[in-house]
């Protein structure tokens, strides 16, 4: 059975990559509507769960007459992918599927996303547009230190880099000693990894006596896959002299390359000709206007392997209303401040780890390594933050350390309004990560 092809030709990897970024808004909206109508019909015909939910709501594909009509469609969630494991939401026939990616759940079954070749090209196009926006060119040497495999980070940046004509160095994660050696010896100019793994690489470079500015050609870091703050970006840039770019994506929609930040570093442009964004109130599920913070929802409007309809990401952000000075017309979302499921309730107060990170990194003597430890005694929460102190600041002088501890506490308290116990620890004490880091240890009784 053959399906109408989407106009992928303009997005093929050989087309000048950023041509779409500046598309006039009216044309973009017309393209989005065309693709949304196509995708709705495609998913209705091919994905039984979607059809069932539309039927229950009395919605049919022909009811989608404007982009605002998207709100008529049912939402989808991670649990749908789990319940329909392994491939219940597949749209394309098996002979069209060329690759699976999976994301490990914290419990139980992973979710599994089948992709067609067109899907891989759309994703590659998104990754290439991010790289082009960061200023990366064919002359760059790109070290890909995201994990390769079922995780989308490694292969996503790999295909993006090759599409741009870069020399790609597929180190994957781990073996950090060798990562630093190869970075220096091969003249790596850009590295892609989680921000927390880059912190580990910085440690290792120090251990080897490698100075980023003096001994390497590194200019760009392409960081994502986990929440990180502006303060973390500043700390990385100060330490290494590179430019730290933000890249966003998720297995269910496409890997890295759904959105990225431009030179303004004031949020991430979403490649909304492929990934249609909405912000909803996570409680009422009503769409929120641009400018309001809520849960990010994506509809893939040009993917066939697994068309995702109004997928609730759990990521919290807002869409900016102002035009971006860079001239791109694709809407900008603020950096992901948090995932709704990362929210901690401590002494009855809602706290996000990013708020703590932002407070800590305002203190120059604090290294960008911390761990939030929660436990309980009787009915009380015990809230501790272990904070690494820079080599220079870590001394035997008790008065200095007490003073530092007080300033750290004030910085955190001024943001979250709570008074955690601050434990200052020496350089290199806290665990490092080779992929996504776990900064919260919650041992409280549930
Ligand atoms: O993390 C894809 C990816 C790989 C993105 C490499 C960027 C770089 P998942 O493992 O499915 O896919 O996790 C997706 O990670 O819903 C966010 O909560 C978080 N995330 C991804 N990028 C960012 C970012 C990949 N730039 C989940 N900032 C998403 C904050 C991010 N959080």
């Amino acid at each position: 059975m053959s399906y109408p092809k989407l106009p992928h030709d303009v997005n093929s990897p050989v087309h000048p990559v950023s041509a779409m970024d500046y598309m006039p808004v009216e044309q973009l909206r017309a393209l989005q509507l065309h693709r949304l109508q196509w995708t709705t019909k495609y998913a209705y015909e091919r994905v039984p769960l979607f059809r069932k939910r539309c039927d229950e709501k009395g919605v049919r594909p022909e009811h989608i007459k404007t982009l605002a009509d998207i709100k008529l469609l049912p939402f989808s969630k991670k649990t749908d992918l789990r319940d329909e494991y392994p491939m219940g939401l597949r749209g394309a026939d098996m002979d069209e599927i060329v690759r699976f990616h999976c994301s490990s759940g914290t419990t139980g079954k992973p979710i599994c996303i089948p992709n067609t070749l067109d899907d891989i090209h759309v994703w590659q196009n998104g990754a290439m547009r991010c790289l082009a926006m960061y200023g990366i060119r064919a002359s760059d040497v790109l070290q890909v230190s995201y994990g390769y495999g079922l995780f989308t980070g490694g292969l996503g940046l790999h295909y993006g880099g090759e599409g741009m004509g870069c020399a790609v160095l597929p180190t994957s994660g781990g073996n950090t000693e060798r990562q630093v050696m190869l970075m220096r010896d091969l003249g790596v100019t850009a590295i892609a990894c989680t921000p927390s793994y880059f912190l580990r690489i910085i440690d290792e470079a120090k251990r080897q006596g490698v100075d980023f500015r003096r001994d390497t050609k590194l200019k760009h870091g392409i960081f994502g896959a986990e929440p990180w703050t502006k303060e973390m970006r500043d700390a990385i840039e100060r330490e290494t002299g590179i430019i730290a770019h933000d890249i966003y994506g998720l297995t269910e929609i496409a890997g890295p390359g759904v959105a990225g930040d431009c030179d303004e570093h004031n949020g991430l442009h979403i490649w909304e000709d492929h990934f249609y964004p909405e912000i909803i109130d996570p409680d009422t599920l009503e769409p929120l206007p641009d400018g309001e913070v809520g849960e990010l929802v994506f509809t893939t409007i040009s993917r066939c392997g697994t068309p995702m309809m109004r997928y609730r990401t759990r990521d919290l952000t807002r869409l900016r209303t102002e035009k971006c000075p860079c001239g791109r017309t694709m809407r900008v979302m603020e950096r992901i401040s948090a995932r709704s499921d990362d929210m901690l309730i401590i002494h009855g107060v809602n706290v996000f780890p990013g708020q703590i990170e932002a407070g800590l990194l305002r203190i120059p003597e604090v290294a960008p390594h911390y761990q939030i430890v929660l436990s309980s005694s009787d009915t009380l929460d015990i809230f501790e933050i272990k904070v690494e102190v820079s080599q220079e600041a870590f001394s035997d002088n008790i008065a200095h350390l007490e003073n530092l501890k007080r300033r750290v506490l004030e910085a955190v308290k001024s943001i979250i309004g709570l008074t955690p116990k601050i434990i200052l620890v020496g350089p290199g004490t806290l665990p490092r990560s080779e992929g996504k880091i776990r900064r919260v240890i919650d041992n409280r009784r549930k």
Side-chain angles (χ1 to χ4, degrees):
M1 187 171 190
S2 75
Y3 276 81
K5 280 278 168 201
L6 287 162
H8 281 308
D9 46 336
V10 291
N11 295 309
S12 96
V14 289
H15 192 270
V17 277
S18 35
M20 301 295 280
D21 302 10
Y22 303 90
M23 195 176 193
V25 175
E26 316 76 64
Q27 270 180 39
L28 174 60
R29 299 286 172 253
L31 177 68
Q32 287 171 324
L33 178 59
H34 167 75
R35 290 183 172 177
L36 176 64
Q37 288 170 327
W38 186 89
T39 302
T40 307
K41 185 166 181 292
Y42 176 83
Y44 188 84
E45 286 170 4
R46 306 285 308 214
V47 183
L49 181 69
F50 180 65
R51 185 169 54 246
K52 177 169 163 277
R53 289 196 176 153
C54 284
D55 289 347
E56 281 164 6
K57 286 182 102 205
V59 189
R60 298 204 33 100
E62 52 275 21
H63 294 160
I64 305 299
K65 296 204 163 54
T66 67
L67 283 172
D69 291 335
I70 196 170
K71 66 174 184 299
L72 302 173
L73 298 175
F75 289 103
S76 52
K77 292 196 291 198
K78 197 164 222 157
T79 45
D80 297 332
L81 287 156
R82 286 220 175 94
D83 296 344
E84 298 293 314
Y85 176 85
M87 278 193 274
L89 299 191
R90 174 165 57 87
D93 295 335
M94 261 324 278
D95 60 359
E96 290 179 283
I97 300 301
V98 299
R99 199 195 304 164
F100 295 106
H101 278 282
C102 298
S103 119
S104 57
T106 35
T107 51
K109 286 174 187 159
I111 57 143
C112 203
I113 303 289
N115 294 276
T116 65
L117 193 57
D118 274 349
D119 295 341
I120 299 289
H121 284 158
V122 166
W123 172 19
Q124 180 184 27
N125 173 262
M128 287 167 65
R129 281 158 75 176
C130 285
L131 293 176
M133 184 164 59
Y134 304 151
I136 288 169
R137 301 289 177 260
S139 51
D140 278 291
V141 181
L142 172 65
Q143 180 165 351
V144 180
S145 309
Y146 284 115
Y148 279 64
L150 293 174
F151 176 56
T152 53
L155 286 167
L157 267 306
H158 184 103
Y159 275 64
E162 280 194 357
M164 290 297 292
C166 300
V168 175
L169 177 63
T171 45
S172 193
N175 202 340
T176 313
E177 191 176 339
R178 191 180 60 182
Q179 302 258 4
V180 173
M181 184 186 85
L182 290 173
M183 176 191 292
R184 199 187 42 200
D185 295 348
L186 297 181
V188 167
T189 54
I191 186 165
C193 59
T194 58
S196 54
Y197 188 43
F198 192 62
L199 296 177
R200 164 85 185 85
I201 291 175
I202 293 176
D203 281 352
E204 175 59 25
K206 273 193 195 146
R207 197 191 63 80
Q208 293 183 23
V210 170
D211 178 310
F212 280 90
R213 292 179 175 81
R214 185 192 60 207
D215 304 320
T216 78
K217 294 192 174 152
L218 199 64
K219 295 268 174 313
H220 304 276
I222 299 153
F223 302 131
E226 62 187 10
W228 58 304
T229 56
K230 181 184 169 305
E231 288 74 11
M232 179 69 83
R233 172 205 292 277
D234 293 345
I236 289 176
E237 291 189 344
R238 240 188 349 260
E239 175 76 31
T240 60
I242 68 167
I243 305 170
H245 308 276
D246 201 348
I247 191 160
Y248 172 86
L250 61 165
T251 318
E252 300 88 318
I253 301 301
V258 170
D261 64 348
C262 64
D263 288 349
E264 300 296 319
H265 293 306
N266 196 18
L268 294 88
H269 288 280
I270 299 169
W271 304 135
E272 54 171 323
D273 45 328
H274 295 298
F275 314 111
Y276 186 81
E278 293 173 88
I279 301 288
I280 61 159
D281 179 323
D283 298 322
T284 64
L285 305 186
E286 283 303 312
L288 293 173
D290 287 2
E292 287 193 30
V293 176
E295 179 177 343
L296 181 62
V297 168
F298 276 115
T299 299
T300 57
I301 51 175
S302 56
R303 296 195 102 205
C304 297
T306 315
M308 292 307 301
M309 308 304 291
R310 302 194 84 198
Y311 183 73
R312 295 184 55 184
T313 64
R314 301 262 162 210
D315 292 325
L316 301 175
T317 184
R318 69 185 183 99
L319 298 177
R320 287 190 182 281
T321 46
E322 322 83 81
K323 273 192 188 156
C324 186
C326 80
R328 289 181 180 81
T329 49
M330 302 277 150
R331 271 178 292 178
V332 173
M333 67 178 192
E334 259 178 15
R335 68 168 46 238
I336 301 293
S337 52
R339 286 180 62 79
S340 54
D341 28 16
D342 285 346
M343 188 179 81
L344 301 164
I345 303 180
I346 310 172
H347 303 309
V349 177
N350 298 348
V351 177
F352 287 103
Q355 295 176 294
I356 295 177
E357 179 174 301
L360 294 176
L361 296 186
R362 282 180 199 160
I363 309 287
E365 296 96 321
V366 163
H369 303 284
Y370 64 95
Q371 196 175 57
I372 300 163
V373 185
L374 296 161
S375 52
S376 46
S377 81
D378 301 328
T379 53
L380 270 190
D381 287 343
I382 302 175
F383 175 21
E384 296 175 334
I385 308 178
K386 295 183 181 167
V387 184
E388 245 182 65
V389 173
S390 69
Q391 187 67 56
E392 305 76 54
F394 198 68
S395 70
D396 293 337
N397 186 324
I398 303 289
H400 275 171
L401 286 177
E402 280 305 317
N403 179 279
L404 179 57
K405 197 193 273 191
R406 195 180 40 73
R407 285 166 48 228
V408 170
L409 177 62
E410 281 311 313
V412 173
K413 200 173 148 193
S414 69
I415 296 182
I416 61 172
L418 294 173
T419 311
K421 179 175 180 197
I422 302 291
I423 304 170
L424 300 183
V425 298
T429 314
L430 295 176
R432 304 300 198 246
S433 133
E434 292 180 354
K436 300 187 190 226
I437 195 158
R438 186 168 163 234
R439 294 200 196 273
V440 180
I441 313 287
D442 193 345
N443 294 324
R444 290 176 296 182
R445 283 186 293 276
K446 292 285 176 288

